[in-house]
Amino acid sequence: MPEQSLGRSCTLPDRGDGVAGRGGHVYAGGVTLVWVTGNSGTGKSTVCGVLRERGYVALDADEDGFSRWIDRASGKAVMDPPYPVPGGWLDRYGWAIVRERVVTLVEESRSRIAFLCGSAENEADVLDLFDLIVCLVIDEDTLRHRLATRTTNAFGQHPEELAAALKWNPRMRAIYESRGATIIDASTPVTEVVDSVIDAVQELRGGA
């Protein structure tokens, strides 16, 4: 999705058996909710699908009702966004995640690991709800190729959308490294990417 407002730092909770995590609650293993994010075209939805195939609870923030277009001026949801978007449309409207939906997922994932895959410009509003942040990164050539050829999501094939994706791509690694996120090269085969995501979770759980 387009531009992301990433102003708030992300402080992850301490880990260990019976760890005090979000809001002082205790979670077995210390990791129950994982945010898998990255620029458009990095393969978030594909990773989500493979996680599901492997038996994990994995939700797509775009497809499963966690995010929506909003009018930045009024804060109201856009019920019928145009496609393709006209020039300048992304300057006023943004892709935003709904905190209440993530809070519900937090409650549902107290005793199991759940992955939420997506990106949103207001993600700083929900980062405190996650135990682990994973950011997928790819180079510009790979990004251009994926956005031009993918058939599951048309975002990025219009010049306005492509420009937004290219603008943010070189910044993603530095932004998320500064937040303590796990950075994963998503230009490798998807099975390897998913293995790396799972390894990151297991590392924080102490190899569980």
Side-chain angles (χ1 to χ4, degrees):
M1 284 300 147
E3 298 184 6
Q4 300 176 31
S5 176
L6 302 171
R8 188 181 305 169
S9 63
C10 174
T11 302
L12 300 179
D14 293 333
R15 300 306 196 279
D17 290 336
V19 173
R22 300 172 297 256
H25 297 299
V26 175
Y27 300 87
V31 180
T32 57
L33 190 56
V34 181
W35 177 233
V36 180
T37 189
N39 199 6
S40 296
T42 53
K44 299 181 295 296
S45 295
T46 303
V47 166
C48 183
V50 175
L51 285 167
R52 288 174 180 168
E53 291 173 0
R54 294 191 183 185
Y56 290 95
V57 176
L59 299 167
D60 188 318
D62 293 354
E63 301 297 328
D64 294 325
F66 287 85
S67 302
R68 61 191 180 187
W69 288 105
I70 62 164
D71 183 333
R72 296 192 187 97
S74 66
K76 294 181 179 180
V78 180
M79 305 310 296
D80 189 21
Y83 188 82
V85 297
W89 195 85
L90 294 176
D91 294 332
R92 175 168 177 174
Y93 300 94
W95 187 247
I97 194 166
V98 180
R99 182 178 173 88
E100 291 76 15
R101 290 283 287 112
V102 183
V103 168
T104 299
L105 182 59
V106 168
E107 297 303 316
E108 294 173 347
S109 64
R110 285 176 178 269
S111 60
R112 62 183 181 181
I113 298 173
F115 297 86
L116 183 60
C117 307
S119 63
E121 66 176 46
N122 69 325
E123 71 166 22
D125 295 338
V126 299
L127 289 184
D128 63 297
L129 300 174
F130 294 94
D131 297 300
L132 174 66
I133 312 299
V134 173
C135 180
L136 309 180
V137 297
I138 55 176
D139 59 86
E140 182 174 317
D141 288 343
T142 301
L143 175 66
R144 286 180 177 274
H145 175 73
R146 287 187 180 178
L147 293 181
T149 59
R150 67 179 180 177
T151 58
T152 56
N153 187 337
F155 188 90
Q157 296 180 2
H158 185 269
E160 181 100 351
E161 300 162 347
L162 177 60
L166 292 174
K167 173 183 175 181
W168 278 101
N169 199 56
R171 310 179 189 182
M172 300 299 288
R173 178 183 290 272
I175 289 172
Y176 282 93
E177 282 182 341
S178 71
R179 295 180 160 219
T182 297
I183 308 298
I184 294 176
D185 179 3
S187 64
T188 60
V190 65
T191 54
E192 295 181 16
V193 176
V194 173
D195 287 343
S196 296
V197 172
I198 295 171
D199 287 346
V201 173
Q202 293 178 337
E203 181 179 349
L204 282 180
R205 302 181 79 205

